[in-house]
Amino acid sequence: MSIAAGPVARTAEALARELGGELLGDPQAPVTRIDTIDSATTGSLSFIRTERFAEAWVLSKASVGLINQSAAGQARELAQGRALILVPDADLALVRVLEMFAPPQAKPEPGVHSRACVAQSATIAASASIGPNCTLGEEAHIGDGCVLVANVFVGRGARVGAGSVLHPGVRVLDRCEVGERCLLHPGVTIGADGFGYRPGPQGPVKVPHIGNVVIGNEVEIGANSCVDRAKFGSTTIGDRTKIDNLVQVGHNSRIGRACLICGQCGISGSVKIGDGVIMGGAAAIADNLEVGDRAQIAACSGVMNNIPPGEVWIGIPAGPAREYKRNYAAFRMLGKMLPHLKRLMRADEGAL
């Protein structure tokens, strides 16, 4: 699906000027929509981040392309009859373009919808918007400019900071705290009980979880992700951390600032994650481990040991990427080596 530019189309020259990029080719090439490189048509803008995308540009019908300077080896030839805008980072430039072309968002009116259920002791800032079928418990607090779109539950004593937006189906349970300018997508649950049981004579015995969850400022949490409340104390998520859909954060975990956690990751209880950590999709961390600042965990990895700061780990069980790659290369050679090893073993047996 393409994204149209709305009533005001741009030329390649104007767009290059707004992005601070170098223009090659036709300055009057029109930009009326944004498309993927393979589905683009006349008037489309697409982007080129690698040489592979540059090859696809030759067959594309796009009028204008954003191209990484690192992938611009034959840019002047590629721009013939069209336009290319050279930028240091095509992905970051595309973010700015998407902001320019984004359709205007209707700002909800402040106030409480007639179908909302609000406890008498709850406090709501005058500039906040509480949509239909929202429920606010006793002593809940909703800050300035907050938007609870619809069907949002905020429990007893829970707090939502100024400027935060909670989409339909979000649950912020008792005594949990959401910081300022946060974005919680549909179905997020903050403060469900942690998964804690002890063996007993009649079967598992549930461990009470009487702590809460504290989320920092400018945190984004994707649809249907869950952050469990602490057994005691707080499960915490640091400022500017971004969490994808379907992520599980276990009780008493502490996630640092500006982390990126991709979809379907599982973080067990009492895990400590430093600042700037990146977790690829479906990665998992066992309980009570530590991940150092700026570490990276590859997709589908299973972390069973502490990760030092700045290291890249991969695999199941996860280990340092260089070591894993060497081991994997050796593993792939086993099929070719096995006949030779068998001959050597037979020779040794014959010598005996």
Side-chain angles (χ1 to χ4, degrees):
M1 177 180 176
S2 64
I3 301 175
V8 181
R10 288 173 166 81
T11 63
E13 183 179 38
L15 191 59
R17 186 166 53 249
E18 291 180 80
L19 296 174
E22 179 185 355
L23 176 65
L24 301 176
D26 182 6
Q28 298 305 311
V31 180
T32 59
R33 67 182 65 83
I34 306 171
D35 276 311
T36 59
I37 199 164
D38 55 347
S39 61
T41 61
T42 302
S44 294
L45 169 79
S46 194
F47 74 109
I48 306 168
R49 69 159 71 95
T50 64
E51 294 292 346
R52 180 174 64 84
F53 279 85
E55 294 171 4
W57 169 261
V58 176
L59 301 176
S60 174
K61 297 180 179 178
S63 298
V64 182
L66 289 173
I67 183 168
N68 275 340
Q69 291 170 346
S70 60
Q74 299 178 328
R76 295 189 184 278
E77 295 178 13
L78 294 174
Q80 294 299 318
R82 294 186 281 179
L84 288 175
I85 301 172
L86 272 65
V87 290
D89 189 319
D91 290 278
L92 287 179
L94 184 63
V95 170
R96 292 186 58 191
V97 175
L98 288 169
E99 291 172 345
M100 296 173 194
F101 286 17
Q105 297 291 320
K107 187 173 178 61
E109 291 293 325
V112 178
H113 195 277
S114 60
R115 294 203 302 272
C117 180
V118 179
Q120 286 189 348
S121 59
T123 57
I124 303 171
S127 57
S129 174
I130 311 299
N133 302 319
C134 291
T135 300
L136 275 60
E138 297 289 349
E139 300 177 358
H141 174 74
I142 309 298
D144 291 329
C146 285
V147 177
L148 278 56
V149 177
N151 297 300
V152 174
F153 178 88
V154 180
R156 175 185 289 270
R159 302 181 64 84
V160 180
S164 291
V165 177
L166 279 56
H167 282 282
V170 170
R171 274 81 172 135
V172 181
L173 302 183
D174 294 359
R175 307 187 313 282
C176 294
E177 301 178 14
V178 176
E180 297 181 358
R181 301 178 301 284
C182 291
L183 178 58
L184 275 54
H185 289 279
V188 167
T189 297
I190 306 298
D193 281 357
F195 190 74
Y197 295 89
R198 297 296 299 170
Q202 305 300 320
V205 176
K206 182 176 174 64
V207 177
H209 285 71
I210 63 173
N212 72 342
V213 175
V214 177
I215 295 175
N217 299 327
E218 298 178 20
V219 171
E220 183 170 352
I221 303 179
N224 294 320
S225 290
C226 298
V227 183
D228 289 346
R229 71 173 59 247
K231 186 184 302 181
F232 46 83
S234 300
T235 303
T236 61
I237 298 177
D239 295 349
R240 300 184 305 284
T241 283
K242 314 300 180 184
I243 297 176
D244 199 358
N245 302 338
L246 298 169
V247 171
Q248 163 66 24
V249 179
H251 64 87
N252 289 93
S253 289
R254 290 182 288 166
I255 298 175
R257 297 169 295 179
C259 295
L260 291 174
I261 301 175
C262 296
Q264 297 187 326
C265 282
I267 300 169
S268 300
S270 300
V271 169
K272 182 180 178 182
I273 295 177
D275 298 337
V277 169
I278 299 175
M279 292 182 66
I285 305 176
D287 57 312
N288 295 294
L289 296 180
E290 294 191 14
V291 179
D293 294 347
R294 301 176 306 285
Q296 298 182 33
I297 303 170
C300 299
S301 296
V303 179
M304 307 294 288
N305 295 285
N306 294 334
I307 300 180
E311 292 198 0
V312 179
W313 279 35
I314 184 173
I316 302 174
R322 287 186 180 180
E323 178 183 316
Y324 177 87
K325 290 175 182 177
R326 287 196 300 268
N327 292 342
Y328 184 66
F331 175 77
R332 292 188 64 184
M333 293 296 293
L334 284 178
K336 296 179 181 179
M337 296 168 60
L338 194 57
H340 180 62
L341 290 173
K342 286 181 177 179
R343 286 195 297 270
L344 290 175
M345 291 173 66
R346 284 196 295 267
D348 287 343
E349 290 171 357
L352 295 175

